[in-house]
């Protein structure tokens, strides 16, 4: 009887967060860290592909344990999340959900196109406020970008904030 009850347990989720530019304390990174850690996740840094192997290893381990995979990314970290998803697609790793905040890809730091049908759902919150891009004192000086996919998956929701 005990084993039957366990089969109805909600699937576990491996949650990864990727910091945006500027480190842990910059821009929206503290809020992202709070969100990811509240879901039992782990934060990572990915700069121009550096750090990708650590993130991929983390989500691959979770996937092999039967967990759902969820990735959060902010700013340059959001563009890195798309790049990570594409690398995971090459490895046949399914990603249940990706949540992006203002994806920015400076100096080839990321991607905006999901190249494999391995991601089930994407929610992308991005701003198109040019005033923020003009002033150094703005809360978020980067104009985010929309994302798209090459297949019918993922289901992508681009929401302008």
């Amino acid at each position: 009887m005990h084993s039957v009850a366990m089969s109805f347990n909600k699937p576990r989720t491996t949650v990864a967060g990727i910091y945006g530019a500027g480190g842990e304390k910059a821009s929206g990174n503290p809020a992202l860290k709070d969100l990811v850690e509240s879901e039992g996740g782990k934060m990572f840094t990915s700069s121009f592909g550096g750090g990708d192997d650590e993130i991929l290893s983390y989500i691959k381990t979770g996937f092999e344990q039967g967990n759902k995979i969820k990735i959060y990314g902010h700013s340059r970290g959001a563009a890195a999340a798309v790049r990570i998803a594409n690398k995971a697609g090459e490895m046949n790793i399914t990603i249940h959900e990706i949540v992006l905040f203002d994806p920015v890809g400076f100096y080839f730091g990321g991607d905006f196109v999901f190249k494999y049908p391995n991601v089930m759902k994407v929610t992308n919150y991005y701003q198109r406020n040019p005033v923020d891009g003009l002033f150094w004192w703005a809360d978020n000086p980067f104009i985010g970008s929309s994302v798209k996919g090459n297949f019918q998956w993922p289901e992508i929701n681009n929401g302008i904030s």
Side-chain angles (χ1 to χ4, degrees):
M1 189 70 139
H2 181 66
S3 62
V4 172
M6 290 191 65
S7 68
F8 293 108
N9 286 343
K10 182 179 171 186
R12 291 174 303 178
T13 304
T14 295
V15 179
I18 306 173
Y19 287 118
E24 186 177 333
K25 304 274 189 240
S27 187
N29 287 337
L32 179 65
K33 181 180 180 184
D34 289 347
L35 175 62
V36 169
E37 289 182 350
S38 76
E39 294 186 14
K42 183 175 176 183
M43 291 299 300
F44 296 90
T45 299
S46 175
S47 297
F48 316 115
D52 287 6
D53 290 345
E54 183 183 4
I55 300 166
L56 281 165
S57 175
Y58 176 73
I59 65 173
K60 181 179 183 222
T61 298
F63 182 74
E64 289 172 346
Q65 293 172 350
N67 295 353
K68 289 182 175 183
I69 304 300
K70 185 173 188 179
I71 301 174
Y72 288 95
H74 171 258
S75 182
R76 191 171 65 200
V82 179
R83 184 180 63 243
I84 296 290
N86 288 331
K87 289 181 178 184
E90 293 172 3
M91 301 166 70
N92 295 313
I93 295 173
T94 301
I95 298 173
H96 181 71
E97 184 174 6
I98 295 183
V99 181
L100 306 173
F101 301 97
D102 284 323
V104 176
F106 288 128
Y107 312 112
F108 312 105
D111 206 342
F112 301 106
V113 178
F114 291 94
K115 298 175 182 171
Y116 299 90
N118 65 313
V119 179
M120 300 299 103
K121 180 181 178 186
V122 175
T123 305
N124 177 31
Y125 300 100
Y126 70 103
Q127 67 167 357
R128 302 302 290 170
N129 183 352
V131 173
D132 274 5
L134 298 176
F135 301 106
W136 60 269
W137 65 82
D139 183 46
N140 183 358
F142 306 114
I143 298 176
S145 298
S146 62
V147 294
K148 60 185 178 180
N150 285 345
F151 297 89
Q152 72 179 34
W153 297 107
E155 170 191 327
I156 297 176
N157 298 303
N158 282 300
I160 299 173
S161 60

